[in-house]
Amino acid sequence: MANIPTEPIGSIPRPLPLLSAIERSGPEDPALGPMYAEAVKDTLARFEATGSPVVTDGEQRKYHNFWTYSVHGLPNTAPDGFAIPFSAGHVRRMPRLTGGPFRYRRYADAYLEVAQRYTDRPLKQAVISPSALSLMYPAAGIPGYSRDQFIADLLAEHEEEMRRCLDQGAFKVQVDFTEARLAMKIDPSGQLLTSFVDLNNLALSRFSPEDRQRIGIHTCPGGDRDSTHSADVDYAELLPILFELKAGNFYIAMAGEPDRARVLKIVRRYLKDDQRVFVGVVSPIDPHVDSAEEVRDRVLEAAEYVPVGQLGTTDDCGYSPFSDDTSTTRETAFAKIRARVEGTALASARFAS
Ligand SMILES: [Zn+2]
């Protein structure tokens, strides 16, 4: 039987008591340590119970979100940076860098090291892309700290984080590149997206072909409070250049697409021989809990276009990329993950040799 691999994206909604405690005393109060540990432990136990062959810590300690966890709390930032408007009407803002040098405050391998204490399953670790963090540098520049210096520091910090995660034994390291589709919305000429891909390729070029088989890229139209930031941008604008990234794996939101066949044809055309595409088969922002049969049919649909040896499945996005997003319950998230795992197995069985 062909084994179609299946992997999560990353985040799982945080337990509500943890969110309340963070609201009361701030995310870094040492007294919250046992609550964070319990959240990670419970997340991994529930992940295992779904049968998921690859698990994550649910990003329980990524505060505030998947985008800024590495820089949250840096003294040389101000809160009025890049704004992401979502279709639900709200805006998420990123920090703005106010002075050099640029350094991460924390690396994601610290999360991985904790998660490994609670599971023997292969663990995926997601990290933020250099292109997302590049938006921290203000358009007006910073006196005495040029954009070129910033980019050099940014690439060094990203490389350090990636190597730490690989060395720590991550089964996959996933670079979150949610701003790819958004880039086409901000700049329809495609120049911004091209500059993002070039920057991320500068980073990926520092890794060996073997490393790159453990490195993946996630792209999606965003997912926060059951809404998106760039679903109106046509994948046809994005996917051809996306597969130019020097990574072995691509995790692409697909379940929420209105015309999947059209997108899958584009994937087939641009996917390279040494790349695997994990297509999203459940949508975290859709409250409907999919049946395993619904998922199976989406996998079989994808297999009509993508060679089964280069196909995998995933969730369209994390279940709460922003830590305070409570629009999905933990129960719903794991029910959808279970459907993904079971539906992918049903589809794999169709390819029995
Ligand atoms: Zn996503």
Side-chain angles (χ1 to χ4, degrees):
M1 161 174 134
N3 181 26
I4 299 173
T6 189
E7 296 181 15
I9 292 298
S11 62
I12 297 290
R14 284 47 158 193
L16 297 178
L18 174 62
L19 288 180
S20 304
I22 290 172
E23 194 146 317
R24 272 198 309 277
S25 50
E28 294 180 43
D29 182 347
L32 298 189
M35 288 186 86
Y36 278 120
E38 184 53 37
V40 172
K41 192 174 161 189
D42 181 67
T43 299
L44 287 164
R46 292 197 194 196
F47 241 123
E48 290 189 4
T50 67
S52 190
V54 179
V55 297
T56 74
D57 70 347
E59 305 186 354
Q60 303 296 289
R61 289 201 82 133
K62 268 194 182 172
Y63 191 86
H64 293 285
N65 56 65
F66 71 102
W67 191 314
T68 60
Y69 67 88
S70 60
V71 296
H72 176 75
L74 280 180
N76 54 337
T77 58
D80 59 347
F82 183 77
I84 311 172
F86 278 84
S87 57
H90 65 290
V91 172
R92 295 286 195 174
R93 288 207 85 140
M94 300 302 129
R96 169 176 60 90
L97 194 68
T98 57
F102 176 75
R103 298 281 183 268
Y104 281 13
R105 190 156 169 251
R106 56 184 72 73
Y107 301 101
D109 65 298
Y111 307 130
L112 183 61
E113 193 270 326
V114 171
Q116 285 168 335
R117 295 176 205 166
Y118 302 113
T119 186
D120 295 325
R121 296 259 174 108
L123 274 156
K124 166 184 271 190
Q125 182 60 54
V127 302
I128 192 58
S129 66
S131 54
L133 291 177
S134 73
L135 293 165
M136 288 178 69
Y137 192 86
I142 296 175
Y145 188 58
S146 71
R147 184 174 169 83
D148 285 352
Q149 284 176 289
F150 164 71
I151 292 295
D153 287 342
L154 169 60
L155 288 172
E157 287 292 78
H158 171 74
E159 181 184 2
E160 169 77 15
E161 180 175 55
M162 294 280 286
R163 289 207 189 283
R164 284 173 175 238
C165 292
L166 290 167
D167 291 349
Q168 183 65 32
F171 177 70
K172 291 279 180 61
V173 181
Q174 172 186 288
V175 180
D176 285 336
F177 189 27
T178 181
E179 72 284 8
R181 204 162 166 178
L182 183 64
M184 283 309 298
K185 185 164 179 167
I186 297 168
D187 176 8
S189 80
Q191 277 186 15
L192 183 63
L193 176 60
T194 302
S195 72
F196 281 176
V197 167
D198 289 348
L199 177 62
N200 292 336
N201 263 341
L202 281 176
L204 289 162
S205 301
R206 299 180 178 191
F207 294 89
S208 68
E210 294 73 40
D211 284 341
R212 283 186 228 146
Q213 289 304 310
R214 288 169 64 199
I215 295 173
I217 307 290
H218 166 55
T219 194
C220 67
D224 186 33
R225 299 184 200 163
D226 288 346
S227 71
T228 60
H229 54 54
S230 57
D232 49 339
V233 171
D234 191 340
Y235 259 145
E237 306 279 332
L238 166 66
L239 294 181
I241 187 169
L242 187 79
F243 290 115
E244 294 299 317
L245 284 167
K246 294 173 183 145
N249 307 279
F250 291 82
Y251 304 88
I252 299 180
M254 191 76 72
E257 284 298 306
D259 187 353
R260 288 194 292 270
R262 180 170 169 276
V263 179
L264 287 162
K265 277 180 200 159
I266 303 171
V267 169
R268 172 172 65 191
R269 179 159 171 210
Y270 290 96
L271 184 70
K272 295 180 169 49
D273 289 345
D274 60 349
Q275 295 174 335
R276 184 185 289 274
V277 62
F278 292 76
V279 299
V281 290
V282 293
S283 170
I285 61 172
D286 176 0
H288 165 68
V289 175
D290 324 73
S291 69
E293 289 74 21
E294 284 175 294
V295 171
R296 175 200 63 200
D297 291 346
R298 285 177 204 141
V299 185
L300 294 175
E301 178 189 37
E304 288 174 27
Y305 300 92
V306 177
V308 74
Q310 287 178 269
L311 182 63
T313 68
T314 186
D315 308 313
D316 268 10
C317 193
Y319 285 88
S320 58
F322 293 84
S323 62
D324 62 357
D325 179 8
T326 55
S327 59
T328 304
T329 64
R330 285 166 74 79
E331 287 69 27
T332 297
F334 284 113
K336 291 179 79 95
I337 288 170
R338 182 184 292 274
R340 168 170 58 75
V341 171
E342 292 178 355
T344 303
L346 289 175
S348 286
R350 293 287 182 92
F351 295 97
S353 49

